[in-house]
PDB file of all heavy atoms in Angstrom:
ATOM      1  N   MET A  21      51.572 -55.529 180.092  1.00  0.00           N
ATOM      2  CA  MET A  21      51.687 -54.235 180.755  1.00  0.00           C
ATOM      3  C   MET A  21      52.995 -54.092 181.538  1.00  0.00           C
ATOM      4  O   MET A  21      53.333 -53.004 181.995  1.00  0.00           O
ATOM      5  CB  MET A  21      50.513 -54.020 181.718  1.00  0.00           C
ATOM      6  CG  MET A  21      49.162 -53.956 181.038  1.00  0.00           C
ATOM      7  SD  MET A  21      48.984 -52.561 179.962  1.00  0.00           S
ATOM      8  CE  MET A  21      48.824 -51.267 181.148  1.00  0.00           C
ATOM      9  N   GLY A  38      51.064 -39.863 182.681  1.00  0.00           N
ATOM     10  CA  GLY A  38      49.900 -40.637 183.107  1.00  0.00           C
ATOM     11  C   GLY A  38      48.924 -40.941 181.987  1.00  0.00           C
ATOM     12  O   GLY A  38      47.775 -41.289 182.251  1.00  0.00           O
ATOM     13  N   GLY A  39      49.341 -40.784 180.758  1.00  0.00           N
ATOM     14  CA  GLY A  39      48.427 -41.027 179.632  1.00  0.00           C
ATOM     15  C   GLY A  39      47.936 -42.458 179.570  1.00  0.00           C
ATOM     16  O   GLY A  39      46.765 -42.722 179.312  1.00  0.00           O
ATOM     17  N   ALA A  40      48.840 -43.402 179.824  1.00  0.00           N
ATOM     18  CA  ALA A  40      48.448 -44.817 179.777  1.00  0.00           C
ATOM     19  C   ALA A  40      47.500 -45.146 180.925  1.00  0.00           C
ATOM     20  O   ALA A  40      46.539 -45.910 180.757  1.00  0.00           O
ATOM     21  CB  ALA A  40      49.682 -45.704 179.820  1.00  0.00           C
ATOM     22  N   VAL A  41      47.747 -44.563 182.080  1.00  0.00           N
ATOM     23  CA  VAL A  41      46.874 -44.802 183.230  1.00  0.00           C
ATOM     24  C   VAL A  41      45.489 -44.229 182.967  1.00  0.00           C
ATOM     25  O   VAL A  41      44.465 -44.869 183.219  1.00  0.00           O
ATOM     26  CB  VAL A  41      47.496 -44.206 184.509  1.00  0.00           C
ATOM     27  CG1 VAL A  41      46.536 -44.326 185.684  1.00  0.00           C
ATOM     28  CG2 VAL A  41      48.806 -44.886 184.814  1.00  0.00           C
ATOM     29  N   ALA A  42      45.463 -43.008 182.442  1.00  0.00           N
ATOM     30  CA  ALA A  42      44.169 -42.385 182.145  1.00  0.00           C
ATOM     31  C   ALA A  42      43.420 -43.161 181.071  1.00  0.00           C
ATOM     32  O   ALA A  42      42.201 -43.355 181.166  1.00  0.00           O
ATOM     33  CB  ALA A  42      44.386 -40.935 181.697  1.00  0.00           C
ATOM     34  N   ALA A  43      44.147 -43.635 180.065  1.00  0.00           N
ATOM     35  CA  ALA A  43      43.495 -44.423 179.017  1.00  0.00           C
ATOM     36  C   ALA A  43      42.945 -45.728 179.580  1.00  0.00           C
ATOM     37  O   ALA A  43      41.863 -46.175 179.199  1.00  0.00           O
ATOM     38  CB  ALA A  43      44.479 -44.700 177.886  1.00  0.00           C
ATOM     39  N   GLY A  44      43.693 -46.336 180.503  1.00  0.00           N
ATOM     40  CA  GLY A  44      43.208 -47.567 181.128  1.00  0.00           C
ATOM     41  C   GLY A  44      41.969 -47.334 181.960  1.00  0.00           C
ATOM     42  O   GLY A  44      41.025 -48.130 181.953  1.00  0.00           O
ATOM     43  N   ILE A  45      41.949 -46.223 182.685  1.00  0.00           N
ATOM     44  CA  ILE A  45      40.778 -45.909 183.518  1.00  0.00           C
ATOM     45  C   ILE A  45      39.565 -45.613 182.646  1.00  0.00           C
ATOM     46  O   ILE A  45      38.473 -46.132 182.882  1.00  0.00           O
ATOM     47  CB  ILE A  45      41.097 -44.733 184.464  1.00  0.00           C
ATOM     48  CG1 ILE A  45      42.112 -45.176 185.517  1.00  0.00           C
ATOM     49  CG2 ILE A  45      39.825 -44.221 185.127  1.00  0.00           C
ATOM     50  CD1 ILE A  45      42.608 -44.058 186.393  1.00  0.00           C
ATOM     51  N   VAL A  46      39.750 -44.796 181.620  1.00  0.00           N
ATOM     52  CA  VAL A  46      38.630 -44.453 180.731  1.00  0.00           C
ATOM     53  C   VAL A  46      38.143 -45.692 179.984  1.00  0.00           C
ATOM     54  O   VAL A  46      36.942 -45.925 179.841  1.00  0.00           O
ATOM     55  CB  VAL A  46      39.038 -43.329 179.755  1.00  0.00           C
ATOM     56  CG1 VAL A  46      37.985 -43.127 178.689  1.00  0.00           C
ATOM     57  CG2 VAL A  46      39.278 -42.046 180.516  1.00  0.00           C
ATOM     58  N   GLY A  47      39.073 -46.517 179.527  1.00  0.00           N
ATOM     59  CA  GLY A  47      38.681 -47.760 178.851  1.00  0.00           C
ATOM     60  C   GLY A  47      37.933 -48.702 179.767  1.00  0.00           C
ATOM     61  O   GLY A  47      36.965 -49.350 179.363  1.00  0.00           O
ATOM     62  N   GLY A  48      38.402 -48.796 181.008  1.00  0.00           N
ATOM     63  CA  GLY A  48      37.691 -49.648 181.975  1.00  0.00           C
ATOM     64  C   GLY A  48      36.298 -49.145 182.260  1.00  0.00           C
ATOM     65  O   GLY A  48      35.343 -49.935 182.387  1.00  0.00           O
ATOM     66  N   LEU A  49      36.154 -47.834 182.375  1.00  0.00           N
ATOM     67  CA  LEU A  49      34.815 -47.274 182.593  1.00  0.00           C
ATOM     68  C   LEU A  49      33.910 -47.534 181.387  1.00  0.00           C
ATOM     69  O   LEU A  49      32.730 -47.856 181.540  1.00  0.00           O
ATOM     70  CB  LEU A  49      34.916 -45.775 182.864  1.00  0.00           C
ATOM     71  CG  LEU A  49      35.471 -45.375 184.233  1.00  0.00           C
ATOM     72  CD1 LEU A  49      35.653 -43.870 184.307  1.00  0.00           C
ATOM     73  CD2 LEU A  49      34.553 -45.869 185.335  1.00  0.00           C
ATOM     74  N   ALA A  50      34.472 -47.387 180.187  1.00  0.00           N
ATOM     75  CA  ALA A  50      33.661 -47.638 178.985  1.00  0.00           C
ATOM     76  C   ALA A  50      33.251 -49.099 178.900  1.00  0.00           C
ATOM     77  O   ALA A  50      32.098 -49.421 178.598  1.00  0.00           O
ATOM     78  CB  ALA A  50      34.443 -47.220 177.738  1.00  0.00           C
ATOM     79  N   LEU A  51      34.196 -49.992 179.170  1.00  0.00           N
ATOM     80  CA  LEU A  51      33.873 -51.418 179.133  1.00  0.00           C
ATOM     81  C   LEU A  51      32.853 -51.774 180.216  1.00  0.00           C
ATOM     82  O   LEU A  51      31.922 -52.555 179.981  1.00  0.00           O
ATOM     83  CB  LEU A  51      35.149 -52.242 179.309  1.00  0.00           C
ATOM     84  CG  LEU A  51      34.994 -53.744 179.141  1.00  0.00           C
ATOM     85  CD1 LEU A  51      34.526 -54.065 177.727  1.00  0.00           C
ATOM     86  CD2 LEU A  51      36.288 -54.446 179.432  1.00  0.00           C
ATOM     87  N   GLY A  52      32.994 -51.183 181.391  1.00  0.00           N
ATOM     88  CA  GLY A  52      32.012 -51.427 182.453  1.00  0.00           C
ATOM     89  C   GLY A  52      30.635 -50.916 182.084  1.00  0.00           C
ATOM     90  O   GLY A  52      29.621 -51.542 182.408  1.00  0.00           O
TER      91      GLY A  52
END
Side-chain angles (χ1 to χ4, degrees):
M21 296 295 287
V41 174
I45 291 173
V46 171
L49 287 174
L51 186 62

